[in-house]
Amino acid sequence: MTMQSVLSRVDTETHPLPTPRDHITSERTRSMIRIQQALLAGAREALAREGAVELLHPVIGPVTDPGSRGAKQVDVDYYGNRYKLMTSSILYKQTSLLAFDRIFLIAPNVRLEPIETSSTRRHLTEFHQIDVELAGATRDDAMAVAERLVRHAVATVVDRHSGLLESLGRDPEVLSAFAARPFGRVTHAEVVTELHRIGHSQSTGTEIEWDAEELISSTANGPFFVTDYPKGSRGFYDRENPEEASRLLNFDLIAPEGCGELCSGSEREYEYAKIVTRMRETGENPAKYAWYLDVIRQGIPASAGFGIGLERLTRWVAGLDSVWEANAYPKLPGVVSP
Amino acid sequence: MNTLHAPGFPEAEVRDRAARGAAAVFPPTNRYGTAVFGEDPDDRYGGDALDAMRLVPPVFMPHRLARLIELGREPLFSDVSLECRFGGMRSPVPVYVSALGSTRVAADGVDLARQAGRIGLPMVIGENVAPMNGFRPERDAQHKTLSARIQAYTEELPDGVGGVCVQQSTEDADTEVWNFLYSDPVVEPLLSSGRLAFELKTGQGAKPGLGGLTLVDDATAERLGGRFAVESLGEDGPLLRCASPGTFTEEILRQQVHLIRNNYPRAHCWVKLPPARDVAEAAEVAWRAGAAAVTVDGAEGGTGWAPSGFLRHVGLPLAQVLRRIGTPAGDLLASGRVWEGTRTAKLLASGAAAAGLGRAALLAVSEDPEAGLCRLIDALALELRMLTSAVGHYDVTRLSSDDLWSPHD
């Protein structure tokens, strides 16, 4: 049996990364960055209308979102202690609701995703999220905010940069039409049933696989929500439906045109005993979450929230072929790059 | 020269097989024609319920007739197929190397891995190998690392057989053993050929109810202090590093299996259960949640450091574990005092899909780091072929409870 280089599985012919100089100086990248800035401006406007306060959150900490789907965390030596780069801000998002009822942040995240994700066209190891958390909100409330946010961000881009969109080959009217329709809503179970109907294998108890997600995205006529994922597929903080065991009160927002997931969100677990139990169900050692559990034990507000992948949103809005094009210094899983 | 010992275990016999291979299945050849042999009269190793069982051939053998027709001659024991598939992996014999943890005696892991790989035996790598010994080779610790074991194994591994199963327990989750491996280039050849499994460990054979226990030096204790409890055994006594066994309920086990399947779709999910009183219920939960295999240790198994009281008085014996599970609803892998063909055959006949070698594998490698395990398996395979054909089967997977007699029957 021969040993292979891990990089041999990253198909550099299908996914060529330009040199850093070529990428940052290309007109396409400049257009992308301007569009991304408009998306962020639109998102901030939309969230200000919702009454959310923008916070700046830690980049490192003793513990971070354990995530799922096999992504490794990055360890940092912090004065002899093992710290982590944030994979998401979920722990801080929940505890920050002790300061304000509605918060958001534009947060950098690092996840060493499995090498196999290098070919999905929608995974970066370093990316940003528009993170939102709303005290006292239900899942429906959070989905409504996410929908308004995306619609307003898209409208801002179309309003300010329709010329840039056209220069990238993106028809602003097509984009506007996508965003104007009410976002659809299907359950995870309905998606699985549909996938089985068309002969696509998909486990009922796991995440929708990458190729299946691309498939359902490519046949959609606009962004849509997938709700009620099974419990074993998500982190401990997605709230279990009290009326339907093993189903989570969560959602993903899927973009059309094969772009796939833009956003994940949920109602949150917020009760101490429930969170500790859910940590065990996700194989976590509660001891390492000491600071977070100390805060939770004294009580935090019930909440719902979500995180929108900024590069993924940019990719869809700008009509880019792959998510790496939506980052000035992209890092693909398994590829050593600046 | 050999410093590894296994009190209460047939160490001399294992070492003999590791040195002489299949020849050691028989009495010494220089006694041929000069001595008579019967049942071992003094049962030197105490024996357990499995030892007390006997494999009992029938007179009438329809399967032998079927094989006779197929071959056009009387079938022999050499016609028995030992090939099998369990836990998502293929193996030339219904045997795997069971988990060897971070205990110092498991430091021969690289030699063991190389031989197991050469044979194509699926191999489980124990919990705490990563947190204790580190992931990457470092000068003096290089033979202790998880990656080194896997690399040694894959370098020798023939195509299409074998595989590696890596455990993760509660403390291992802190170091993300599985996340690390899932993107480790060393593991990629196994992953891309469907020969990697992750085993969720819910307890230990030798000490059910306790987590891993390892004696460590002062420096290691200090390094591990943040993640493990470290207990001093008396004044100036050795330091005991204590892992937690982890807390499980039905729902926690079910969801942890779901999460493994969700997070690592290219790896198989195994679940290791201790010889607990609810082992049958736990195995059922694991299989139903989608585990490709459930491994069980008898209380007589285990390579790790354990309190003597636990070794003698805690946990179900393996025969009782198998009896409680009954007809398994999925692949059941069993270990505990296995070193030769008869116990292996009894485990298979009791419902196991494969038997795990723990101490025997360590002793064999200790006897001969180059070929001890290979010879031990040669001997075991010969016995297993003879036993299987003796009860009228020519495929080892056909062994069943009909082939067994227990004094309690």
Side-chain angles (χ1 to χ4, degrees):
Chain A
M1 183 174 216
T2 55
M3 300 296 296
Q4 302 169 347
S5 161
V6 67
L7 297 185
S8 68
R9 293 198 61 246
V10 180
D11 189 344
T12 48
E13 284 188 13
T14 317
H15 307 284
L17 284 181
T19 66
R21 185 181 183 88
D22 285 350
H23 186 50
I24 199 68
T25 56
S26 89
E27 205 47 55
R28 199 171 162 81
T29 303
R30 284 197 189 98
S31 300
M32 176 280 291
I33 290 172
R34 290 196 178 97
I35 288 167
Q36 195 167 69
Q37 287 310 300
L39 282 172
L40 279 174
R44 284 190 162 102
E45 264 177 26
L47 289 164
R49 286 183 198 165
E50 304 285 346
V53 176
E54 182 169 1
L55 299 181
L56 303 172
H57 270 175
V59 173
I60 59 171
V63 64
T64 185
D65 180 354
S68 51
R69 304 187 99 165
K72 171 89 179 70
Q73 300 169 7
V74 176
D75 293 346
V76 176
D77 184 352
Y78 187 71
Y79 301 100
N81 296 285
R82 185 172 51 193
Y83 267 45
K84 305 285 187 179
L85 284 182
M86 286 302 127
T87 54
S88 94
S89 285
I90 181 64
L91 308 178
Y92 298 101
K93 282 168 71 177
Q94 282 185 281
T95 56
S96 295
L97 294 177
L98 292 167
F100 301 101
D101 282 347
R102 304 191 136 210
I103 59 116
F104 77 98
L105 49 145
I106 313 299
N109 300 139
V110 179
R111 298 177 188 172
L112 301 183
E113 299 280 2
I115 306 298
E116 64 207 41
T117 61
S118 64
S119 57
T120 62
R121 296 190 297 165
R122 52 189 185 278
H123 282 88
L124 291 170
T125 52
E126 186 179 58
F127 62 99
H128 297 77
Q129 288 202 90
I130 304 168
D131 263 321
V132 178
E133 199 66 24
L134 310 161
T138 63
R139 172 175 62 178
D140 285 347
D141 297 333
M143 288 164 70
V145 171
E147 183 168 345
R148 287 195 290 271
L149 190 163
V150 169
R151 186 167 292 128
H152 186 71
V154 169
T156 306
V157 170
V158 171
D159 188 42
R160 295 184 191 176
H161 294 308
S162 60
L164 288 178
L165 287 171
E166 281 167 359
S167 76
L168 292 171
R170 185 61 151 152
D171 184 338
E173 287 186 19
V174 170
L175 183 63
S176 296
F178 275 136
R181 293 188 195 104
F183 295 180
R185 184 168 172 164
V186 292
T187 65
H188 177 275
E190 288 167 341
V191 170
V192 171
T193 302
E194 175 61 14
L195 286 168
H196 289 170
R197 193 187 64 76
I198 60 173
H200 199 287
S201 67
Q202 167 69 48
S203 165
T204 55
T206 63
E207 272 280 5
I208 294 163
E209 288 156 21
W210 306 123
D211 54 344
E213 185 185 294
E214 188 165 330
L215 190 67
I216 60 170
S217 163
S218 60
T219 55
N221 60 8
F224 65 101
F225 291 105
V226 178
T227 64
D228 301 274
Y229 283 76
K231 192 156 71 159
S233 67
R234 294 290 166 100
F236 61 79
Y237 41 80
D238 279 15
R239 187 167 181 228
E240 186 174 5
N241 190 337
E243 285 158 20
E244 191 182 355
S246 290
R247 288 283 158 191
L248 300 171
L249 286 169
N250 65 354
F251 63 91
D252 273 7
L253 177 61
I254 310 290
E257 304 175 289
C259 281
E261 179 197 328
L262 292 179
C263 160
S264 282
S266 71
E267 264 180 54
R268 311 299 189 192
E269 298 288 3
Y270 61 98
E271 293 157 308
Y272 173 78
K274 185 76 181 168
I275 285 179
V276 172
T277 306
R278 291 289 309 282
M279 280 180 171
R280 283 302 300 152
E281 289 174 4
T282 53
E284 289 297 308
N285 183 359
K288 70 177 180 182
Y289 293 86
W291 81 262
Y292 170 74
L293 289 175
D294 283 348
V295 177
I296 303 288
R297 198 192 271 269
Q298 295 176 61
I300 57 163
S303 68
F306 56 87
I308 296 175
L310 177 61
E311 285 84 355
R312 288 182 175 182
L313 180 64
T314 308
R315 175 200 172 195
W316 174 59
V317 167
L320 304 173
D321 181 56
S322 185
V323 74
W324 68 258
E325 293 181 82
N327 188 299
Y329 297 95
K331 294 185 182 69
L332 281 173
V335 177
V336 179
S337 45
Chain B
M1 179 179 162
N2 286 304
T3 55
L4 180 64
H5 297 295
F9 194 74
E11 179 180 341
E13 284 83 345
V14 172
R15 288 189 180 279
D16 186 35
R17 288 182 173 209
R20 296 200 295 131
V25 167
F26 298 93
T29 47
N30 61 5
R31 295 174 68 194
Y32 182 73
T34 63
V36 290
F37 303 96
E39 187 181 15
D40 182 358
D42 45 2
D43 188 15
R44 281 159 294 171
Y45 304 106
D48 61 10
L50 276 166
D51 290 325
M53 290 178 183
R54 299 186 73 100
L55 290 149
V56 185
V59 172
F60 302 127
M61 297 185 179
H63 291 127
R64 181 175 285 178
L65 175 63
R67 193 76 172 126
L68 184 151
I69 292 167
E70 198 178 298
L71 293 169
R73 60 167 172 79
E74 279 291 343
L76 302 169
F77 64 80
S78 52
D79 295 312
V80 171
S81 167
L82 298 182
E83 281 185 18
C84 53
R85 188 178 174 84
F86 52 87
M89 299 173 190
R90 285 184 55 230
S91 178
V93 286
V95 171
Y96 63 99
V97 177
S98 59
L100 308 171
S102 51
T103 310
R104 243 177 61 198
V105 296
D108 289 332
V110 171
D111 291 330
L112 176 60
R114 189 170 290 118
Q115 290 188 48
R118 197 179 308 150
I119 305 165
L121 289 186
M123 176 179 76
V124 184
I125 297 183
E127 60 153 349
N128 300 328
V129 169
M132 280 290 291
N133 296 327
F135 281 116
R136 296 284 189 193
E138 292 168 8
R139 277 171 247 150
D140 54 347
Q142 75 184 78
H143 293 300
K144 297 180 182 174
T145 66
L146 181 58
S147 293
R149 290 187 195 191
I150 295 175
Q151 187 156 356
Y153 182 88
T154 51
E155 278 171 0
E156 301 272 346
L157 188 64
D159 286 339
V161 293
V164 169
C165 177
V166 180
Q167 292 181 337
Q168 178 169 288
S169 63
T170 306
E171 279 81 3
D172 297 328
D174 293 0
T175 41
E176 297 185 274
V177 176
W178 292 338
N179 283 345
F180 176 90
L181 281 177
Y182 204 61
S183 293
D184 187 342
V186 168
V187 171
E188 181 51 33
L190 295 172
L191 200 50
S192 60
S193 57
R195 289 184 284 178
L196 182 71
F198 289 149
E199 185 172 70
L200 174 62
K201 183 168 184 173
T202 66
Q204 306 234 341
K207 40 186 179 297
L210 294 181
L213 300 173
T214 315
L215 290 181
V216 294
D217 57 31
D218 289 357
T220 308
E222 191 171 336
R223 183 163 56 83
L224 298 173
R227 276 172 288 151
F228 297 93
V230 176
E231 191 87 12
S232 176
L233 300 179
E235 253 179 74
D236 300 326
L239 295 170
L240 188 66
R241 183 231 63 173
C242 312
S244 144
T247 303
F248 287 90
T249 61
E250 275 189 40
E251 182 66 356
I252 288 173
L253 177 57
R254 184 181 301 118
Q255 294 306 334
Q256 288 201 12
V257 172
H258 285 164
L259 198 78
I260 293 172
R261 295 181 60 217
N262 184 75
N263 290 5
Y264 314 105
R266 298 165 70 211
H268 307 289
C269 171
W270 293 14
V271 172
K272 177 172 185 168
L273 300 175
R277 62 188 187 208
D278 53 358
V279 66
E281 292 89 327
E284 186 67 30
V285 167
W287 280 316
R288 200 169 284 179
V294 166
T295 58
V296 290
D297 258 356
E300 61 274 60
T303 58
W305 188 258
S308 308
F310 270 71
L311 292 172
R312 290 188 191 134
H313 300 290
V314 181
L316 293 174
L318 186 53
Q320 183 58 219
V321 169
L322 297 173
R323 187 166 296 142
R324 290 195 182 197
I325 291 173
T327 303
D331 285 355
L332 178 67
L333 313 182
S335 62
R337 298 180 63 88
V338 178
W339 64 279
E340 43 70 71
T342 61
R343 195 172 176 87
T344 305
K346 289 175 185 178
L347 291 177
L348 300 180
S350 302
L357 292 183
R359 280 171 289 183
L362 279 177
L363 286 169
V365 171
S366 155
E367 180 65 24
D368 182 348
E370 288 304 313
L373 179 64
C374 300
R375 292 196 199 102
L376 185 73
I377 291 294
D378 280 349
L380 186 151
L382 174 63
E383 279 178 326
L384 203 50
R385 284 198 169 92
M386 288 177 158
L387 291 163
T388 305
S389 73
V391 292
H393 301 307
Y394 291 86
D395 179 342
V396 74
T397 63
R398 299 193 74 111
L399 288 171
S400 76
S401 57
D402 290 344
D403 303 315
L404 276 183
W405 171 80
S406 161
H408 306 298
D409 287 347

